[in-house]
Amino acid sequence: MSDNVMDQIVSLCKRRGIIFQNSEIYGGQNGFWDYGPLGTELKRNVRNAWYHDMVASHDELTVLEGTPKAFSMVGIETALIMHPRVWKCSGHFDLFNDMRVDCRECRARYRADHLRIKVARSDDGTPLAAWGFMPGSDEFDWSGAGDKKLAKSVRERCEGEISVDAAPMTLANYTASLQPSEDSGEIAEHLIPRCPNSSCRGPLTEPREFNLMFKTIVGALGTEDDAAFLRPETAQGMFVNFKNVVDSSRVKVPFGIAQVGKSFRNEITPRNFTFRSREFEQMEMEFFCHPGESQQWYTYWRDRRFAWYKNLGISDSKLILRDHTQEELAHYSIGTADVEYAFPFLAEGEYGELEGIAHRGDFDLRSHMEGKLVADANGCLVVEQDEHGQPKYRGSGKDLSYFDDQTRERFIPHVIEPAAGADRATLAFICEAYTEDEQPDEHGKMQKRVLMKLDPRLAPIKVAVLPLIKKEGMPETAQAIYRDFKAAGINAVYDQQAAIGRRYRRQDEIGTPFCMTIDGETATDGCVTVRDRDSLKQDRIPIKGLVGWVQERLK
RNA sequence: GCGGGUGUAGCUCAGUGGCAGAGCGUCACGUUGCCAACGUGAAUGUCGAGGGUUCGAAUCCCUUCACCCGCUCCA
């Protein structure tokens, strides 16, 4: 396959109405994508395959292989905008809303509120230069490569005594202490704080809000106090509704709550087609279980989710299950694994994340009970405190523990979270399906063919109904068959335009698994030719059984 | 965020200061006998956007947006 296979895929997606760039006629928007008519069908099929497997077809009476006991699964659909305190307790607010400064040269990034500034002054107190350092790190010693340059520039400005402030300032205080130049309104070049890295000392940027959450305002007259956030994950909808679901739907632990929906992250660098987008769709499930069984459930869900992709056609050679190393694990997590796919835009041997399966302990429910949690010196989760010794972000105060009537035990359930990206899965299925091969044309000459080997369950169009020629009653018969498929809820197309070979290729390109051709013999034998997309094999199938024949292959 | 590259019809691209082009695709009519047929005809462009230079700009300059590659970042 060619190196630019990703270009081919992007081009095919646009040409055939699978994925378009958002607001394209206005020049497009980085990180946002639209699904066209065929893409919408494909993505809905992905979503439905997930929901069907997780919830709709789940048998809660049977103990499934590899599980300790039977369990329930329910669906939920929660709002995109949640109470701001949800994100404070979940940790997203602090994690996603820092003011940052970057070094323009070495590009290191620092939290603006952590950075301290030291200033070198002449004897009359005029500032000559300023540089940052992180508290506790090495101080300025005029010896680093960058420091020598800085020292030289300071010397050029002052021949007399130079002193360095004993007390460091915060970045905000330093900036406030400067007089902006009268003509430009900007800080003089030599007073721009320099990078904390003593071998760099490049100029730092202005503090910039580093909002990974999209901020919005609730209420027409809203002010900053009414700031709210578009959800950066769907999971919190399940956690905050845990009690509602338990109280309303007669589920018993263990059970799962599943949700498919949009999430938003203001990514710095959206890249690689839809792989990293600012608006994306997640398919997440939170599985609540007894702490003592959580390890077993974690293993179960990890393996089951990995198998799901393979079952829908992702090849073994391109899919890996990668357990996170100890360093990668969140402090509250006992285990996390990623399902990763070898996307064509990645280098050989690299994989991109499709789904993360995480053992989250009781972190989430406890956070929403008690407040934002952090690990203490012993690695135990404790409520993070502010400078006054009060909880930094208070939780809801509601009791989210669970009482098991049979064992007479009360506990906070542990959570196993398989969190999948619907757009990433869709993209993986597209990439996996994209195939170029060679097939003989009517003269026996080999011709390049582009096809999408999508699993029939995922294919946007299941069946194409094609009269071999536009006369002798073939179109009428074909149209009747087409209507049978539509009536049965099977997505079919009718096409009598152009030669039969061309029509087959059109369907190949969008992954239609079955083409049904009505020919001269149909009128006498009541059969059509069914042509298989991948093998090009043809079979005669009676019209009467056609719908059932297709339904059988969509299970 | 930084550096490099690219942006012209639905797609792939040619066009380096003087009439906006090709191939494929799409549509119509005719033809058709199972794997990209053929014939005839047609539609399709603010040359990514904004500004400037020029008698004249797709072409030169500036700004900006998007995409690709490499860094950086990444739940």
Side-chain angles (χ1 to χ4, degrees), chain A residues 172-209:
Chain A
N173 287 344
Y174 170 71
T175 310
S177 74
L178 294 174
Q179 301 291 326
S181 136
E182 274 177 26
D183 30 304
S184 69
E186 286 169 12
I187 294 174
E189 179 83 30
H190 67 282
L191 293 178
I192 291 172
R194 316 299 286 194
C195 180
N197 180 348
S198 68
S199 59
C200 170
R201 298 295 183 205
L204 296 173
T205 61
E206 302 257 312
R208 288 180 291 202
E209 203 164 358

Side-chain angles (χ1 to χ4, degrees), chain A residues 374-510:
Chain A
V374 288
D376 69 8
N378 305 317
C380 295
L381 289 174
V382 295
V383 175
E384 186 175 3
Q385 307 207 323
D386 64 14
E387 59 267 33
H388 310 296
Q390 298 297 308
K392 187 173 179 193
Y393 301 121
R394 270 188 310 116
S396 67
K398 299 286 187 293
D399 181 7
L400 302 181
S401 66
Y402 176 81
F403 183 71
D404 186 321
D405 289 298
Q406 271 165 4
T407 61
R408 314 295 296 167
E409 186 190 1
R410 180 170 288 283
F411 59 93
I412 300 174
H414 278 200
V415 168
I416 312 301
E417 175 190 83
D423 305 274
R424 287 182 175 188
T426 302
L427 184 59
F429 289 125
I430 290 171
C431 293
E432 181 74 22
Y434 182 85
T435 310
E436 295 172 6
D437 70 4
E438 289 204 330
Q439 297 295 342
D441 66 13
E442 58 168 355
H443 309 295
K445 201 176 145 211
M446 297 307 274
Q447 298 283 352
K448 182 182 149 187
R449 178 174 77 131
V450 171
L451 74 158
M452 294 266 260
K453 289 188 175 178
L454 288 167
D455 185 289
R457 291 166 292 179
L458 298 179
I461 308 288
K462 313 299 187 191
V463 182
V465 186
L466 318 168
L468 187 58
I469 52 170
K470 266 188 276 189
K471 58 187 182 188
E472 293 172 22
M474 293 183 207
E476 289 74 13
T477 309
Q479 285 164 17
I481 294 171
Y482 161 79
R483 291 189 188 101
D484 287 345
F485 279 117
K486 295 298 265 192
I490 293 171
N491 209 348
V493 293
Y494 172 80
D495 188 3
Q496 60 174 33
Q497 187 64 250
I500 190 68
R502 170 171 307 234
R503 282 179 275 165
Y504 285 151
R505 298 300 168 88
R506 278 184 192 141
Q507 297 304 322
D508 289 342
E509 213 176 41
I510 60 170

Side-chain angles (χ1 to χ4, degrees), chain A residues 207-251:
Chain A
R208 288 180 291 202
E209 203 164 358
F210 197 68
N211 260 329
L212 256 52
M213 282 199 291
F214 281 95
K215 195 187 273 188
T216 187
I217 298 285
V218 173
L221 298 175
T223 64
E224 196 59 18
D225 293 340
D226 302 313
F229 302 93
L230 302 190
R231 63 183 180 189
E233 61 172 34
T234 59
Q236 299 303 324
M238 281 79 106
F239 296 130
V240 302
N241 279 297
F242 169 76
K243 195 169 150 53
N244 282 338
V245 170
V246 168
D247 291 347
S248 63
S249 44
R250 301 185 58 219
V251 289

